């Protein structure tokens, strides 16, 4: 097995090079090709001699992703990429343009184990974790394709980041490295379905990123129907872990709440939610639910969302309604999937 060079930190790369008898400046050059420019082949490293490139090819592999298909939204120029991985699996990423720059929604797994009732990713089941290099390469591939810089990252694509914890943390360190992509932690959001041990570990990492928690219901009865993970980590235990996270890190948690008509959008749900988030630094992000054919769930009406928002605001909660992007190309929250019909 050759080593996955793009998942290595700069320090690991330096020591691997020194073991091979190569000077430190070579490690730095190779690191920059991989991490800053995102090249996918040693042959593109033009300041490295041919001999050395051959030597590197024998020792290492560059894992990443290649654009298989690209769809551009006619509504808002959101771009959805279908990427092919080295073993022929597929993942999707979504590039969104905002006033402050480009934000990329990246995947962390091929498929997902969590099986939320409303999400397309779970439908195809779980295939495998992505390596740090494969998560990182989604950014390089989008940047190189569009000739732009991505300034913000959301770990909200396919997969559950806390179910691939070590690779996700390593990815965060790589993407944040000064002489790599150098994307600031404050520009990164990580979204979880509420895996409590992951939240506790993340608290210890002391990173300046934004933690988002997919709550979607104020109590176990409703949440367990929507999200099987709730049977293991219930609402009250989850919110207690979130409170602890906020107390320890002083960082506000963003609670995602997808609105499903007649399921979790009553006035009573809004009051219960307001109550449970009382006295903790929080932001509630309401998401008009996106259609996923298999789920049979429908979005709440705009009137319901407005009333729900008002109740939360009157109780003093911080709340916004997420603007949906890329709906015409199935690029919205919950619409990413790894099973694709051959064109
Ligand atoms: N596994 C992580 C990351 C996925 S993020 C998590 O659960 O947080 C994607 C966000 O979109 C999550 O908040 C998810 O619950 C939400 N989502 C999934 N399907 C959706 C749908 N059909 N409509 C609206 N939001 C959805």
């Amino acid at each position: 097995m050759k080593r996955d060079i793009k998942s290595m930190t700069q320090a690991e790369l330096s020591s691997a090079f020194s073991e091979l008898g190569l000077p430190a400046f070579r490690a730095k050059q190779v690191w920059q090709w991989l991490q800053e420019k995102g090249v996918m082949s040693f042959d593109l490293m033009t300041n490295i001699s041919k001999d050395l490139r051959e030597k590197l090819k024998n020792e290492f592999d560059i894992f990443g992703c290649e654009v298989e298909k690209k769809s551009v939204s006619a509504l808002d120029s959101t771009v959805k990429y279908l990427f092919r991985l080295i073993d022929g699996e597929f993942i999707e990423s979504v590039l969104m343009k905002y006033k402050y720059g480009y934000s990329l929604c990246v995947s962390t797994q091929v498929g997902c184990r969590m099986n939320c009732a409303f999400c397309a990713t779970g439908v195809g089941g779980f295939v495998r974790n992505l390596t740090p290099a494969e998560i990182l390469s989604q950014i390089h591939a989008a940047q190189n394709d569009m000739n732009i810089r991505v300034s913000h990252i959301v770990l909200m694509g396919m997969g559950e980041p806390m179910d691939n914890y070590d690779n996700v943390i390593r990815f965060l360190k790589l993407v944040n490295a000064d002489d790599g992509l150098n994307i600031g932690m404050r520009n990164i959001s990580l979204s979880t379905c509420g895996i409590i041990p992951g939240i506790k570990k993340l608290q210890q990492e002391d990173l300046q990123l934004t933690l988002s928690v997919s709550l979607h219901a104020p109590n176990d009865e409703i949440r367990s129907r929507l999200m099987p993970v709730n049977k293991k980590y219930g609402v009250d235990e989850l919110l207690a872990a979130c409170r602890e996270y906020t107390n320890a890190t002083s960082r506000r948690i963003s609670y995602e709440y997808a609105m499903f008509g007649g399921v979790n959008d009553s006035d009573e749900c809004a009051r219960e939610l307001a109550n449970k988030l009382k006295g903790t630094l929080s932001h509630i992000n309401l998401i008009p639910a996106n259609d996923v054919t298999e789920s049979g769930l429908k979005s709440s009406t705009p009137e319901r969302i407005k009333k729900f928002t008002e109740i939360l605001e009157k109780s003093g909660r911080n709340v916004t309604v997420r603007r949906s992007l890329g709906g015409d190309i199935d690029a919205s929250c919950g619409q990413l999937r790894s099973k694709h019909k051959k064109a």
Side-chain angles (χ1 to χ4, degrees):
M1 257 301 257
K2 292 187 215 169
R3 277 181 286 178
D4 168 10
I5 191 170
K6 198 174 167 177
S7 291
M8 294 166 87
T9 63
Q10 195 165 10
E12 287 166 348
L13 195 66
S14 296
S15 75
F17 271 46
S18 111
E19 277 165 33
L20 293 169
L22 299 169
F25 79 95
R26 288 292 180 208
K28 196 170 168 82
Q29 285 175 325
V30 170
W31 164 272
Q32 280 169 340
W33 282 113
L34 293 169
Q35 298 289 333
E36 200 186 311
K37 304 196 178 68
V39 302
M40 286 293 292
S41 154
F42 290 109
D43 288 328
L44 295 172
M45 302 184 180
T46 47
N47 56 359
I48 309 283
S49 73
K50 232 180 157 155
D51 280 357
L52 180 51
R53 283 186 233 154
E54 291 309 315
K55 187 168 178 169
L56 293 175
K57 281 185 215 170
N58 290 330
E59 294 289 332
F60 303 103
D61 268 325
I62 305 174
F63 295 118
C65 56
E66 306 272 1
V67 180
E68 171 82 9
K69 191 180 157 201
K70 176 181 174 184
S71 324
V72 183
S73 166
L75 303 172
D76 50 45
S77 14
T78 294
V79 180
K80 181 168 82 166
Y81 288 101
L82 176 66
F83 290 124
R84 187 174 7 86
L85 306 175
I86 191 102
D87 57 355
E89 294 294 344
F90 293 106
I91 51 166
E92 294 189 314
S93 313
V94 181
L95 184 69
M96 294 157 285
K97 191 173 181 193
Y98 290 100
K99 282 197 205 81
Y100 52 74
Y102 281 97
S103 176
L104 190 73
C105 177
V106 299
S107 293
T108 55
Q109 297 180 316
V110 182
C112 185
R113 263 192 260 268
M114 298 301 140
N115 252 313
C116 299
F118 44 81
C119 180
T121 303
V123 174
F126 173 75
V127 180
R128 68 170 176 88
N129 282 327
L130 296 184
T131 63
E134 288 171 329
I135 307 175
L136 198 58
S137 294
Q138 298 167 55
I139 307 168
H140 287 129
Q143 286 198 158
N144 293 340
D145 176 67
M146 296 280 288
N147 206 13
I148 47 126
R149 289 243 143 256
V150 167
S151 60
H152 291 66
I153 304 291
V154 294
L155 287 92
M156 297 193 183
M158 294 163 50
E160 166 51 43
M162 296 294 196
D163 189 35
N164 184 15
Y165 187 87
D166 293 341
N167 287 348
V168 164
I169 295 294
R170 183 175 272 265
F171 155 75
L172 290 171
K173 292 186 174 154
L174 292 174
V175 79
N176 185 232
D178 294 349
D179 36 11
L181 285 172
N182 197 13
I183 298 179
M185 283 291 169
R186 286 173 191 277
N187 290 358
I188 301 178
S189 293
L190 182 154
S191 181
T192 177
C193 64
I195 297 182
I196 294 176
I199 296 175
K200 290 190 186 300
K201 270 200 276 179
L202 188 67
Q203 181 179 318
Q204 304 299 323
E205 312 275 352
D206 201 21
L207 302 173
Q208 300 290 299
L209 53 72
T210 300
L211 176 63
S212 293
V213 172
S214 298
L215 194 57
H216 304 326
N219 58 52
D220 287 336
E221 198 211 322
I222 304 175
R223 194 166 190 267
S224 290
R225 268 195 278 146
L226 294 171
M227 305 174 72
V229 68
N230 193 69
K231 293 176 190 142
K232 186 150 186 201
Y233 305 114
V235 171
D236 294 342
E237 198 192 342
L238 172 59
L239 291 178
C242 289
R243 241 171 233 277
E244 199 186 304
Y245 180 95
T246 299
N247 289 342
T249 60
S250 307
R251 300 205 55 84
R252 180 171 91 164
I253 292 183
S254 184
Y255 295 90
E256 293 159 284
Y257 196 104
M259 307 269 312
F260 302 104
V263 177
N264 64 354
D265 64 348
S266 66
D267 290 358
E268 202 187 323
C269 282
R271 282 192 290 267
E272 198 176 353
L273 178 64
N275 216 5
K276 292 208 174 166
L277 293 178
K278 204 174 186 163
T280 183
L281 220 51
S282 67
H283 170 248
I284 302 166
N285 197 205
L286 300 177
I287 315 174
N290 298 303
D291 280 348
V292 171
T293 334
E294 293 87 347
S295 81
L297 292 160
K298 287 270 161 283
S299 176
S300 307
T301 61
E303 298 74 46
R304 243 327 51 223
I305 297 176
K306 188 160 176 270
K307 183 79 193 303
F308 202 91
T309 308
E310 280 166 11
I311 294 173
L312 292 171
E313 277 172 345
K314 276 196 192 118
S315 317
R317 298 298 90 85
N318 234 304
V319 52
T320 48
V321 180
R322 183 178 291 177
R323 190 165 61 100
S324 178
L325 296 174
D328 57 334
I329 51 167
D330 279 355
S332 305
C333 303
Q335 296 185 315
L336 305 186
R337 52 178 90 219
S338 55
K339 293 273 172 283
H340 289 270
K341 289 196 199 84
K342 289 235 156 47

